[in-house]
Amino acid sequence: MNFRTLDLNLLRVFDQVMAEQNLTRAAERLAMTQPAVSNALKRLREALGDELVVRTAFGVKPTPKAEALWPQVRAALDRLREAIDPPEFDPQHTQAGFRLAMADATAATLLPLLTSDLERRGAQVSIRILPLTTRDPRRLLEHGEVDFALGYFPVAVAALSSQGDTARLRHHRLWDDEYVCVMRRNHPLAQAELTLDAFCTAHHLLVSFSGRPHGFVDEALAALNRSRRIVLTVNQFFTAGRVVTQADLLTVLPRRFVPATGMADALVIKPLPIALQGIHVEVLWHQRHDHDPAHRWMRERILDAAAQRAREPVA
């Protein structure tokens, strides 16, 4: 048998004949004539080299090969049917767990709204937040280590956009943001204009998921033949915000994150004296989950919470 030339519609006929054990009833279920069902079975017999069914006084009886083949055909048709017309997910009566990878800034901005929505719906779902140690989560999603990755992933999103319909990962914009310089209210620069010279002269706290001692701010400064003095590197935005309330350090945070820290009253926000690209927070997932009802339901909840957050005014 050459599978590439096999008419897969014949498998639908075979499935119904096996289920009904009667050509007439199978034809009715398929909205076909009995001669058309008989002809389809004949073609499948020729392709598989087996009689598949033999006539009896009450209908048809499957051959051993047909008995062995049918569970595989039924399972494949069920998977295809679910992909095309998936069943609804009932979050109030079905338990499901999801792994979301995101930085603490994204979590603090999104999770209050998301969890409030889930509780209001009475959803029997659990969410596990995994830390991000990279700005390129494609490997995590490809290997199935997480269900969603949320954050600012410029390299990954650019690569996926260039691949178009061939990309195995999906992405959707959640909200836009910008980086700002943050310091404590009694910092020597708090009441002055933050010039490039002042910015480079000051001591800095760097947020680095990977632990590298430089980031995109340093790359932008290098393009201007400038540099800054980094005296502390941490892997969480919240830690950075907490530290700068107690020390004369500058740090760079997403603007929308600052109110979520609960420390906004102790901090001063200033525009950066260098040009940086805006932050485009995205959610990424693997295409293998496109038609999974539970996964699709959670995607809708994430998008709804993000849309609500995006409508809120930026401090």
Side-chain angles (χ1 to χ4, degrees), residues 15 69-82:
D15 176 58
L69 181 63
W70 187 36
Q72 306 297 327
V73 171
R74 169 56 64 95
L77 290 174
D78 285 344
R79 288 195 298 271
L80 182 59
R81 190 177 298 112
E82 290 178 2

Side-chain angles (χ1 to χ4, degrees), residues 20-57:
E20 299 294 338
Q21 305 277 291
N22 184 285
L23 297 187
T24 300
R25 291 197 298 269
E28 292 174 355
R29 293 288 301 273
L30 292 164
M32 297 170 63
T33 64
Q34 183 174 329
V37 170
S38 297
N39 182 61
L41 273 180
K42 178 183 177 183
R43 292 170 57 198
L44 190 59
R45 287 185 179 116
E46 294 172 351
L48 298 179
D50 187 85
E51 283 298 305
L52 298 179
V53 295
V54 295
R55 291 184 181 274
T56 69

Side-chain angles (χ1 to χ4, degrees), residues 90-299:
D90 184 357
Q92 293 184 342
H93 299 93
T94 305
Q95 293 185 352
F98 302 94
R99 298 158 300 166
L100 282 62
M102 65 180 81
D104 62 319
T106 307
T109 305
L110 180 72
L111 289 182
L113 293 172
L114 178 60
T115 54
S116 176
D117 179 39
L118 296 180
E119 289 184 347
R120 186 172 61 253
R121 295 173 182 273
Q124 300 299 307
V125 302
S126 61
I127 298 176
R128 184 153 54 104
I129 304 302
L130 303 178
L132 274 175
T133 58
T134 175
R135 285 199 177 274
D136 189 348
R138 285 176 290 179
R139 185 191 62 80
L140 297 174
L141 294 163
E142 289 279 8
H143 293 181
E145 297 178 31
V146 299
D147 299 303
F148 298 95
L150 297 89
Y152 177 43
F153 311 121
V155 173
V157 169
L160 295 175
S161 298
S162 67
Q163 294 169 15
D165 294 339
T166 64
R168 293 191 300 271
L169 301 181
R170 312 295 193 207
H171 64 97
H172 187 94
R173 180 77 56 83
L174 296 180
W175 65 76
D176 294 326
D177 204 346
E178 63 175 346
Y179 285 113
V180 291
C181 184
V182 176
M183 65 193 77
R184 66 175 180 165
R185 288 203 170 273
N186 57 350
H187 190 284
L189 296 175
Q191 304 304 319
E193 178 185 358
L194 185 61
T195 64
L196 181 58
D197 287 339
F199 183 81
C200 292
T201 302
H203 288 181
H204 290 258
L205 187 162
L206 168 68
V207 179
S208 173
F209 301 153
S210 64
R212 293 188 308 166
H214 64 277
F216 51 85
V217 172
D218 304 284
E219 294 171 357
L221 288 173
L224 301 174
N225 293 319
R226 303 296 295 268
S227 63
R228 60 175 176 163
R229 170 90 165 93
I230 297 174
V231 300
L232 178 62
T233 300
V234 300
N235 63 356
Q236 290 187 329
F237 287 107
F238 186 86
T239 301
R242 174 62 67 184
V243 170
V244 298
T245 64
Q246 305 295 322
D248 283 339
L249 299 176
L250 305 184
T251 193
V252 176
L253 303 177
R255 181 182 287 274
R256 287 186 179 275
F257 169 64
V258 177
T261 64
M263 300 176 285
D265 291 343
L267 299 172
V268 171
I269 297 175
K270 288 185 175 291
L272 287 166
I274 53 174
L276 295 179
Q277 289 186 341
I279 306 172
H280 307 302
V281 179
E282 310 254 352
V283 56
L284 277 63
W285 69 94
H286 200 283
Q287 67 174 2
R288 71 171 73 94
H289 299 303
D290 275 354
H291 301 291
D292 178 82
H295 196 280
R296 187 172 60 185
W297 183 87
M298 180 52 68
R299 289 201 304 269

